[in-house]
Amino acid sequence: MSLRKLCKSRFVRPLDKTFCRYYCQRKLTNAEIRKKRNALFEEEKARQFSLVTRIEKIEVKYEGHPEPCTLIMNKGLSTPYHCTMHLQELLMERSVVARVNGKLWDMHRPLEEDCTLELRHFLETSPFDSNDTFWRSMSFVLGHILETGFKENIRVNLCSFPRPNVKSGSFVYDADLGTATTDYTINESVLRGLSAIGYRLSAQKLPFEPLFVDISLAERMFEDNLYKSKQLHAIASQSESKSKVKVYRMGEHIDMSNGPLMSSTSQISSFKVTGIHPITTDYGEMHRVQGLAIPSGLMLHYWAFEQLAERAAKLNMDAVLPYIREGKEEVLTKELND
């Protein structure tokens, strides 16, 4: 009996039929999946903006350089980045993440009410918020690199990236690379090619656009990824509404993350994919891809960067591996892609 006929059989259990549907449908290429996700993202973004039928004004009390002030902005439309456009060009370029009413907030996320606004950057005395956001954003970028860095006939299935841990020495993304590791000999030449994709992003100045979507839409966005589709309900359960998933778009790359992510890829200075290591997870064999990056505005001698990259090339086991929560059909990390 063929696999397709087996899937239609009444003797196949429901869970097995889900498995069959996933494998019987024609496998889209990574490029086709990106196009599909972008169409859904753009449609939902337009729908949400159309809900703002009446422009209401809000007061944004800015606290910081060059001086505190009050801005009158548009509720549900204006973002912290729009606020920097009224303040100073320097703030537009260097602001990594915002604090709105004391809560970390994406630079391109619309403001919802009267609020206080602070802006964070890399050259602060205690840049923890900026560094944490940058590290998380670089894991997101690794996902983009893996989906675009290999031949189009190689299907890459991203799994998850754990909470950023700067002390570990490298940011990571765990993924099923398909036939990439058999078609390619993972050596310094391949790592340089992948690194070049990340390095070029700086000149492209791509914003990280956040969007909260209903879980039903998220299921359509990620139905072609077996791992992501299993994470959705667990991630949605962590949201305030218990039914929303936060997704980001950078260029054509769309992925899930609780965020926040940084403002733009222009804030990347140096970038390097340092290693690809086989790992064993509850979902079987995968690869842990690791990287190192330096944010814009920070000066570091190339020799020092290479020394850090050498450390970042070693298998990073400080980051939690993907695992299946006992009793549930969900792929998770302990931090749920935080």
Side-chain angles (χ1 to χ4, degrees), residues 159 174-176 227 277-281 283-288 322:
C159 184
D174 298 322
D176 176 0
Y227 310 116
H277 302 282
I279 55 174
T280 301
T281 72
Y283 252 82
E285 300 300 319
M286 288 189 179
H287 282 83
R288 168 154 287 183

Side-chain angles (χ1 to χ4, degrees), residues 13 15 20 23 34 40 50 59 86 105-106 111 126 129 172 176 178 181 195 214 225 257 274 279 294 307:
R13 293 176 301 167
L15 180 60
C20 290
Y23 283 98
R34 285 194 298 275
L40 292 171
S50 70
E59 285 191 357
H86 295 281
W105 199 271
D106 294 285
L111 300 167
S126 300
D129 290 340
V172 306
D176 176 0
T181 53
S195 301
D214 189 78
N225 185 309
S257 174
T274 57
I279 55 174
I294 303 297
Q307 292 299 305

Side-chain angles (χ1 to χ4, degrees), residues 38-314:
N38 271 273
L40 292 171
F41 186 100
E42 200 60 43
E43 181 181 350
E44 176 62 13
K45 181 180 177 181
R47 187 194 70 82
Q48 292 187 20
F49 273 112
S50 70
L51 298 178
V52 184
T53 56
R54 180 172 176 269
I55 296 180
E56 300 179 39
K57 298 297 181 180
I58 57 174
E59 285 191 357
V60 179
K61 295 182 179 180
Y62 170 68
E63 302 171 358
H65 177 85
E67 61 182 3
C69 64
T70 299
L71 302 171
I72 306 300
M73 306 301 290
N74 298 322
K75 179 180 179 180
L77 297 174
S78 299
T79 66
Y81 184 79
H82 291 141
C83 292
T84 64
M85 297 171 70
H86 295 281
L87 294 168
Q88 193 178 68
E89 185 177 0
L90 173 65
L91 298 178
M92 293 172 56
E93 296 174 353
R94 78 175 185 179
S95 298
V96 179
V97 68
R99 275 198 174 272
V100 175
N101 289 337
K103 179 183 177 181
L104 284 176
W105 199 271
D106 294 285
M107 290 296 295
H108 297 286
R109 179 180 170 184
L111 300 167
E112 301 169 350
E113 59 185 358
D114 294 341
C115 60
T116 59
L117 173 65
E118 302 171 60
L119 300 171
R120 296 286 183 252
H121 59 90
F122 296 119
L123 299 180
E124 294 175 296
T125 304
S126 300
F128 175 81
D129 290 340
S130 299
N131 288 341
D132 199 55
T133 300
F134 180 75
W135 215 249
R136 183 184 297 107
S137 304
M138 293 303 95
S139 288
F140 185 95
V141 166
L142 269 183
H144 160 72
I145 291 172
L146 294 176
E147 286 193 345
T148 59
F150 298 105
K151 292 182 294 187
E152 198 53 51
N153 64 320
I154 295 177
R155 174 70 176 276
V156 173
N157 279 297
L158 303 178
C159 184
S160 62
F161 57 94
R163 175 184 287 274
N165 179 4
V166 178
K167 293 181 180 179
S168 71
S170 64
F171 46 82
V172 306
Y173 209 123
D174 298 322
D176 176 0
L177 300 184
T179 61
T181 53
T182 55
D183 288 17
Y184 293 84
T185 300
I186 304 300
N187 53 26
E188 193 61 33
S189 176
V190 170
L191 296 180
R192 279 198 303 269
L194 297 175
S195 301
I197 299 173
Y199 186 81
R200 288 196 295 266
L201 289 174
S202 178
Q204 296 178 35
K205 300 181 180 180
L206 302 174
F208 289 80
E209 306 174 70
L211 189 69
F212 287 92
V213 303
D214 189 78
I215 191 169
S216 60
L217 178 58
E219 287 174 340
R220 292 171 60 196
M221 279 187 172
F222 297 99
E223 65 184 359
D224 301 291
N225 185 309
L226 181 62
Y227 310 116
K228 295 287 183 182
S229 62
K230 299 291 187 181
Q231 298 179 40
L232 291 172
H233 289 276
I235 292 178
S237 68
Q238 303 298 311
S239 66
E240 293 181 6
S241 66
K242 307 299 181 183
S243 62
K244 298 287 185 181
V245 175
K246 192 177 186 182
V247 299
Y248 285 85
R249 179 171 66 177
M250 180 206 71
E252 293 185 344
H253 180 64
I254 295 174
D255 200 355
M256 297 181 291
S257 174
N258 287 339
L261 300 185
M262 65 187 191
S263 178
S264 165
T265 58
S266 64
Q267 293 166 335
I268 303 173
S269 176
S270 300
F271 187 97
K272 186 171 185 177
V273 178
T274 57
I276 299 177
H277 302 282
I279 55 174
T280 301
T281 72
D282 286 357
Y283 252 82
E285 300 300 319
M286 288 189 179
H287 282 83
R288 168 154 287 183
V289 185
Q290 300 175 192
L292 178 69
I294 303 297
S296 60
L298 297 184
M299 303 297 293
L300 186 67
H301 194 276
Y302 77 91
W303 182 85
F305 181 77
E306 288 303 318
Q307 292 299 305
L308 292 174
E310 185 176 335
R311 184 186 70 160
K314 300 176 182 177

